[in-house]
Amino acid sequence: MDEDWLVFHPDPKSPSFCLPDGAVDAHCHVFGPSPQFPFAPERKYTPCNAGKQSLFKLRDHLGFSRNVIVQATCHGTDNRAMMDACRSSGDWARGVASVRGDVSREELVEMHHAGVRGVRFNFVRRLVDNTPRAEYFRIAQKVREFDWSIVVYFEVEDLVSLDPFLRQFTGIIVVDHIGRPNVANGIDHPDFQRFIRLMDENENIWAKVTCPERLTTRGFPYDDVVPFHKAVVERFADRVLWGTDWPHPNMKSHMPDDGALVDYIPRIATTADVQHQLLVANPMRLYWSE
Ligand code: 0GY
């Protein structure tokens, strides 16, 4: 692994917040293990191994029932580790894949059978090489038959250029980490308000209210991120998702305690009804509808 790589928390606390029955960790990854599932040659970082057994152990420890495993860029478009984890979960995990424009229908069918229900478009320059927009349209067209959603990952400064692009998709688009706002700017800043407007004007756009540990500028307990997540949850309760982001790739400041991350949830989803939407109803509708 990279010299400065921070390994996931070895012994997360038991959360004080009791997750509702059937809760879904809707954003997490698996890394390798690399002897079985080598990392991609084009990767921008080399992580520690963090395989399915560790993920499922964490799921049980925190009180989740299900996982949505999002393909991490260190595996490129080789989705085998993610698909293997989905297959061995016994239908308790779904996947979000990364594919190229020339992906075949047979490959998509195989992924669908393994549990894949979405593709990820990644625009974060430190993580991936540029992909032409035309290729994304090609992928979106190919996965429409399977009724998959699209997960997009970008950083706040790219929303101006991405905004018209995202509005062209008619299927469900899920934005990672509420579009990574700069929380030091406050929630009234035009960048964050542009994101709220995008969701306001496009009912097919969902958001993951995730990664306070990444968005914070002040550190744990992430007080500076709460108003951002809370604003999104309150306004769009029927199209938000939550996840741990385990094993927390590329964290530089600190490694979060996953139990403490679960305890963050009631600060942004303050009633039992909204917690149920965020953690159960919404992810089940999106990823387990058949
Ligand atoms: C995340 C965030 C990051 C990385 C990836 O696929 C990835 O490599 O998603 C990041 O470095 O910000 O969502 O896990």
Side-chain angles (χ1 to χ4, degrees), residues 123-125 133 152-167 173 175-182 189-202 205-206:
F123 299 93
V124 178
R125 279 176 283 271
R133 303 260 161 110
V152 291
Y153 190 20
F154 57 82
E155 294 184 315
V156 67
E157 55 277 12
D158 294 319
L159 183 54
V160 175
S161 70
L162 283 173
D163 187 303
F165 170 72
L166 296 176
R167 287 173 193 262
I173 298 221
V175 178
D176 279 342
H177 322 327
I178 57 168
R180 292 206 59 145
N182 180 347
H189 191 276
D191 285 344
F192 185 61
Q193 288 308 315
R194 180 179 291 111
F195 180 65
I196 295 289
R197 207 160 52 244
L198 180 70
M199 286 194 73
D200 257 336
E201 293 170 3
N202 298 274
I205 300 194
W206 294 37

Side-chain angles (χ1 to χ4, degrees), residues 229-241:
H229 281 155
K230 202 160 174 250
V232 174
V233 171
E234 280 174 359
R235 205 170 177 111
F236 308 109
D238 60 346
R239 41 192 167 112
V240 282
L241 302 172

Side-chain angles (χ1 to χ4, degrees), residues 27 29 45 71-74 120 122 126-127 153 176-177 180 214 245 249-250:
H27 185 92
H29 311 283
Y45 62 85
Q71 174 74 357
T73 57
C74 55
R120 192 183 199 201
N122 199 321
R126 70 185 156 78
L127 293 174
Y153 190 20
D176 279 342
H177 322 327
R180 292 206 59 145
R214 254 178 227 291
D245 193 33
N250 303 307

